[in-house]
Amino acid sequence: MDRINVSTVSEFIFVGLSDAPEVRFLLFVLFLLIYLATLAGNITILVAISTDTRLHNPMYFLLCNLSLLDILCPTITVPKMLEALLFENKVISFTGCMVQLFFLIDVVGTEIFLLAVMAYDRYVAICYPLQYMNIVNMKLCAHLVIGTWIAGFFNSLLHTSFIFTLFFCDSNKVDQYYCDIPPMLALSCSPTYLRELVILTVAGVLGSGAFLVTLISYIYIFLTILCINSAESRQKAFSTCGSHLTVVCLFYGTTICTYVRTSSSYSPKQDRIVSMLYGIFTPLLNPMIYSLRNKEVKNTLRRMTRQVRTAL
């Protein structure tokens, strides 16, 4: 193992998205609006579920955790990106970079595990509706959610410790708009082969395992839906599950594409696009696909709107 990091680099500089002033301002407005919409959508879901006792069940408890993660994920990276776009302040301290990377990997890992738990929850609900409350009760659901957060924490601790015990001595320019594993590995002047091997193994096993659970759950769900006699009910179920699976595949596909590969195949431009998909756009889409299309949630939001209008 290498000694603890004694590199000469005390801060890092993000390459950013663009150096052209007019482009930077347009990007600032665009990403600010997306970020605010993401916060508004996910906070609305959290308030709606927490204030309506009829939504206090395992499925909505999982949705609350997903909304919380979808608030945290862009909050870790987007404010610094907006600062760089508006004020050209692209500098982050060594400690700040380490903290940013830790929380990002923690949130992304937790969300991967949580999506697997949500897929299992839907599998039981659709395939075994009569036994659902006995199988997926609130106690089991709470234990599974706590397990996802713990697994995400230790996964992030492992990756962060591997990255920030490397030496950074030749350059401090991070070819990304936030601190992430691939650009940090590419930036290091230490041998990274063994660390990459461990990171690839851990990310591959955990990510592929969670994706496999999700995929198998949805396969069984689709097979069960095919057995539904009512064409209208079958079409509605297919539409909902298909939307869910699209977002799941988008999130898994982009994260696996980012982390399960060697530093020699690192492409900064490609990584910036891919990271925006799972770090910015997926948290924006999740409230609409997982919650706002849900009848119970929409009814709760209508009641909340009426109450606000009455109060005003």
Side-chain angles (χ1 to χ4, degrees):
M1 293 294 290
D2 294 335
R3 293 171 297 166
I4 195 71
N5 193 297
V6 290
S7 64
T8 57
V9 173
S10 61
E11 62 184 23
F12 295 100
I13 301 173
F14 297 128
V15 171
L17 300 178
S18 175
D19 291 326
E22 61 279 5
V23 176
R24 285 206 323 271
F25 181 73
L26 290 175
L27 289 174
F28 171 81
V29 173
L30 173 64
F31 287 115
L32 177 62
L33 292 175
I34 292 174
Y35 179 56
L36 293 177
T38 300
L39 292 182
N42 285 288
I43 290 173
T44 300
I45 297 305
L46 284 173
V47 172
I49 293 175
S50 60
T51 56
D52 193 338
T53 55
R54 286 167 290 192
L55 301 182
H56 293 179
N57 59 53
M59 182 181 78
Y60 295 107
F61 177 66
L62 294 174
L63 286 175
C64 272
N65 279 271
L66 180 66
S67 290
L68 179 59
L69 290 170
D70 284 339
I71 290 171
L72 294 175
C73 189
T75 300
I76 294 167
T77 60
V78 172
K80 185 63 182 177
M81 178 184 70
L82 294 176
E83 182 186 2
L85 288 170
L86 191 61
F87 302 110
E88 293 189 76
N89 181 16
K90 302 178 181 180
V91 178
I92 188 170
S93 67
F94 185 92
T95 303
C97 185
M98 181 173 64
V99 170
Q100 187 184 60
L101 180 95
F102 173 80
F103 282 110
L104 177 66
I105 302 302
D106 184 12
V107 168
V108 171
T110 302
E111 185 158 344
I112 286 176
F113 302 138
L114 182 66
L115 288 173
V117 173
M118 292 177 69
Y120 172 74
D121 171 74
R122 291 299 83 205
Y123 157 71
V124 176
I126 292 176
C127 299
Y128 302 97
L130 299 180
Q131 292 87 17
Y132 175 72
M133 292 307 297
N134 292 326
I135 299 173
V136 186
N137 51 53
M138 283 300 295
K139 184 177 180 180
L140 173 64
C141 193
H143 287 164
L144 290 173
V145 168
I146 292 172
T148 64
W149 284 91
I150 293 174
F153 172 82
F154 283 107
N155 175 61
S156 180
L157 189 64
L158 174 68
H159 291 328
T160 306
S161 63
F162 272 25
I163 296 300
F164 286 95
T165 49
L166 291 168
F167 292 100
F168 300 95
C169 48
D170 296 330
S171 172
N172 66 340
K173 288 190 176 181
V174 180
D175 216 339
Q176 183 57 283
Y177 63 91
Y178 62 92
C179 293
D180 201 2
I181 291 176
M184 301 309 293
L185 284 172
L187 193 63
S188 174
C189 55
S190 299
T192 60
Y193 174 75
L194 290 177
R195 293 166 193 262
E196 285 186 56
L197 184 61
V198 174
I199 289 172
L200 286 172
T201 302
V202 173
V205 170
L206 295 179
S208 301
F211 178 71
L212 195 60
V213 170
T214 305
L215 182 62
I216 292 174
S217 297
Y218 275 108
I219 288 173
Y220 277 106
I221 287 171
F222 280 121
L223 291 176
T224 302
I225 292 173
L226 288 173
C227 298
I228 298 175
N229 294 325
S230 171
E232 183 179 351
S233 300
R234 188 166 56 247
Q235 183 179 358
K236 183 179 179 181
F238 263 126
S239 174
T240 303
C241 293
S243 301
H244 290 188
L245 191 58
T246 300
V247 172
V248 168
C249 289
L250 177 64
F251 185 82
Y252 274 111
T254 51
T255 50
I256 289 173
C257 178
T258 299
Y259 298 113
V260 185
R261 62 178 180 179
T262 60
S263 60
S264 60
S265 61
Y266 172 62
S267 171
K269 291 183 179 179
Q270 177 184 327
D271 263 42
R272 279 195 283 272
I273 296 173
V274 170
S275 62
M276 285 180 187
L277 289 175
Y278 74 80
I280 298 177
F281 292 105
T282 302
L284 175 67
L285 294 175
N286 278 345
M288 293 180 281
I289 292 177
Y290 278 99
S291 302
L292 297 180
R293 293 182 61 183
N294 183 286
K295 183 179 179 181
E296 288 77 10
V297 173
K298 286 194 291 187
N299 290 337
T300 299
L301 292 176
R302 291 193 189 100
R303 284 192 291 270
M304 288 174 58
T305 303
R306 285 197 296 268
Q307 290 172 359
V308 170
R309 287 177 179 174
T310 302
L312 293 176

